[in-house]
Every structure is written in C-alpha cells, then in structure tokens.
Amino acid sequence: MMTYQHLLIHDNGYIRRITVAREAKLNALSKATLTELSNAIGDALATAAIRGIVLTGAGDKAFVAGADIAEFAGLNSEEGRALAQDGQTRVFNLIHHANKPIVAAINGYALGGGLELALACHIRVAVTHAKLGLPEVSLGLIPGYGGTQRLTQLVGRGRALEMILTGDMVTAKQALEYGILNHVVESTELLAKAEEILHRMTARSQTAVEGAIRAVNASLEPNDQGFKTEINEFGRCFGTSDFSEGVAAFLEKRKPNF
Ligand code: COA
C-alpha cells in the first residue's frame, strides 16, 4: 500500500478509510494534500479487494476547513482558474464519478473546499457538532471545486444561494433538514455509521452498484456548463482587489473590508 504525508489509510474488510490528517491546519487542502487524495482515491478504486471508501478528517474539530488559504495568496486569474480546473478533474470529479460508493464522515467543520469534498461523495454522515458552509465570499471568492453546482443539486436554488451569498455556516441539524446530510450521529458513532452504510452496499452486486452510481450521476449532468462557469468566475475573482483584501484579512486574523 502507498504511504502518504497528509493522509492516513486504514482497511477494514472491503472498506478503506482515508483520513485527511493535517490537524494543526484543520485538515485544510493544500496542493500536496490534494495530490495525495487523488492518488489515494485512485488507488482504492483500482484495488479489487476494496468495495467502498470512507473519507474523514483527523481529530474532532474539523473534517476539512477548506482549501489552504495561505496558498491562494498571490495567485492571478489564470492560476486561480487552473487551480479549480485541476482540483475538479483530479479529485472532486474522481470522487463524484467513482465506481465504488464513497461516504463522507464529517467529524467537524466542513467549509469551502471541505464541504465541496463532502458534496462530491455519494453519501454524507456528520456528527452533531459539525458546521457546514461555503464561506468563500468572505475571501472575495466563490466556491471553485463544484460547490455551486453540487449544493444547488442537493438543496435547490434558494437555499444554495442563501448559503453561498451569505457565506454563513449551518448546523448539522439544519443541513439534515436541507438534505445536505443523510444522517447525523454522535461523535462516537460516526465511523461505525459510515461503515454500516457501506457494508450494506458492499454485500450487493458490485456491477449493479457501479451501474446505479453512473445512472444517478447521469441524471444530474445534462451538460457541464455550470462547472465551466464556476471555474471561470472563480478565476476572475483572483484578479480583484477584494480577493487580495479577503485573503490578507484571513491571514492577519481580522475582518475583511470590502
Ligand atoms: N486554510 C489554511 N489554514 C487554515 C484554514 C484554511 N482553510 N482553516 C484553518 N486554518 C488554520 C488557521 O490559520 C490556524 O493556523 P495557525 O494556528 O497556524 O494560525 C489553524 O488552522 C487553526 O484555525 P483557527 O482559525 O485558529 O481556528 P478557530 O477555531 O479560531 O476557527 C474556523 C475555526 C474553521 C472558523 C476558521 O479556521 C476558519 O474560518 N477557517 C477558514 C474557513 C474558510 O474560509 N474556508 C474556505 C476556504 S476556500
């Protein structure tokens, strides 16, 4: 099995658990972490003995608190667009279109790219204290890893726009009501619940499971114009003074002045 710097891998029968482990940075997705995730998911999908994947974060504070904001500083529009395109292709679409079920076990904050990671998974289970949101507008950005598309598909235009335009977080209870989450459980139950769901699927015909994922996904994607628009708008934000102010404010631990 491959080894990773920012991930932990654990197999339990047919199920592989992939844990994003950058706890000191609330498991934020640096470029290096995204590359490892792409490799780890690709490896799990290529391993015949694995039939399902649990994706979670280390510790009890955060699932993933977003893309690594420190790495955004100084990027121009072109680089911003490339970042979104590359991440979507290598990680988020890989998960969305995986031929094996992937469950996000949300153990705390799922923000920005962290919520987008969970949204790309097929099923989401969270702990009662989890908080979910797309706070990119506070940084002078929009979501760039499919969040504008996948959140809208799950909750509808009105609720998606309220969450994306305010950047406010919702509680696990609200997210369950909205249909973002499939289940909310106590912290001690999280991994067991995620595995229990997968165990039920791994006992079924894997050919049928794979076909069903493909068919459900196909119903959501009459074209990829939405994802393209998101990537372009995300890139455009990088060239603005609001973006410079938003990122500087986060790094200086102060409120942005737009
Ligand atoms: N990128 C880079 N670093 C991040 C990060 C991110 N998305 N989220 C958290 N961190 C880092 C913090 O900078 C801090 O690092 P430091 O200890 O070296 O200063 C560490 O993780 C702990 O976070 P901190 O902000 O001190 O914790 P908190 O409990 O005060 O707040 C959050 C928790 C989640 C509310 C806050 O970290 C936050 O707002 N994070 C950014 C969320 C976001 O905007 N994500 C979208 C990115 S596109």
Side-chain angles (χ1 to χ4, degrees):
M1 200 188 289
M2 294 195 229
T3 55
Y4 301 95
Q5 207 184 332
H6 306 298
L7 305 177
L8 301 169
I9 310 289
H10 174 83
D11 285 354
N12 179 12
Y14 285 134
I15 297 169
R16 176 163 298 173
R17 184 165 78 229
I18 301 175
T19 305
V20 180
R22 280 186 85 210
E23 216 178 322
K25 295 289 179 187
L26 304 187
N27 305 322
L29 299 174
S30 60
K31 271 190 151 182
T33 308
L34 281 170
T35 298
E36 289 195 351
L37 258 181
S38 180
N39 292 338
I41 289 162
D43 181 55
L45 298 181
T47 303
I50 297 300
R51 294 186 172 188
I53 301 167
V54 176
L55 195 54
T56 192
D60 57 13
K61 188 166 173 184
F63 170 69
V64 167
D68 192 322
I69 299 167
E71 288 185 352
F72 282 179
L75 296 189
N76 63 29
S77 286
E78 191 82 353
E79 290 162 331
R81 213 171 282 126
L83 185 83
Q85 177 71 67
D86 188 56
Q88 289 202 17
T89 307
R90 289 194 308 142
V91 179
F92 296 78
N93 292 350
L94 182 67
I95 293 172
H96 184 108
H97 294 291
N99 60 353
K100 301 173 185 181
I102 306 185
V103 177
I106 303 172
N107 51 306
Y109 287 114
L111 301 176
L115 179 54
E116 292 175 295
L117 193 64
L119 289 170
C121 293
H122 303 115
I123 287 168
R124 284 151 293 282
V125 182
V127 295
T128 48
H129 70 263
K131 292 235 172 100
L132 291 76
L134 293 174
E136 283 85 350
V137 288
S138 342
L139 295 163
L141 283 175
I142 68 164
Y145 289 140
T148 64
Q149 305 304 297
R150 294 193 181 96
L151 184 66
T152 308
Q153 286 162 352
L154 270 185
V155 307
R157 183 165 173 263
R159 281 171 167 168
L161 280 172
E162 186 173 349
M163 283 182 68
I164 294 167
L165 302 187
T166 62
D168 289 342
M169 299 181 204
V170 297
T171 61
K173 189 165 171 270
Q174 270 175 297
L176 184 67
E177 284 167 12
Y178 279 15
I180 301 173
L181 298 174
N182 295 65
H183 303 276
V184 175
V185 296
E186 294 303 322
S187 292
T188 48
E189 304 294 319
L190 180 68
L191 294 177
K193 181 69 184 177
E195 292 198 4
E196 176 207 309
I197 295 167
L198 280 176
H199 275 307
R200 299 172 63 76
M201 298 175 182
T202 58
R204 314 301 185 209
S205 154
Q206 295 311 288
T207 312
V209 164
E210 183 179 337
I213 294 175
R214 218 179 285 136
V216 170
N217 282 348
S219 78
L220 299 173
E221 283 167 28
N223 67 59
D224 61 357
Q225 207 47 47
F227 287 92
K228 282 190 183 141
T229 304
E230 182 187 90
I231 289 168
N232 281 331
E233 291 299 328
F234 180 77
R236 193 176 58 81
C237 292
F238 276 79
T240 65
S241 55
D242 275 358
F243 162 73
S244 311
E245 166 61 10
V247 170
F250 177 80
L251 297 175
E252 291 160 20
K253 298 185 186 292
R254 60 173 173 83
K255 281 202 183 316
N257 182 14
F258 293 127

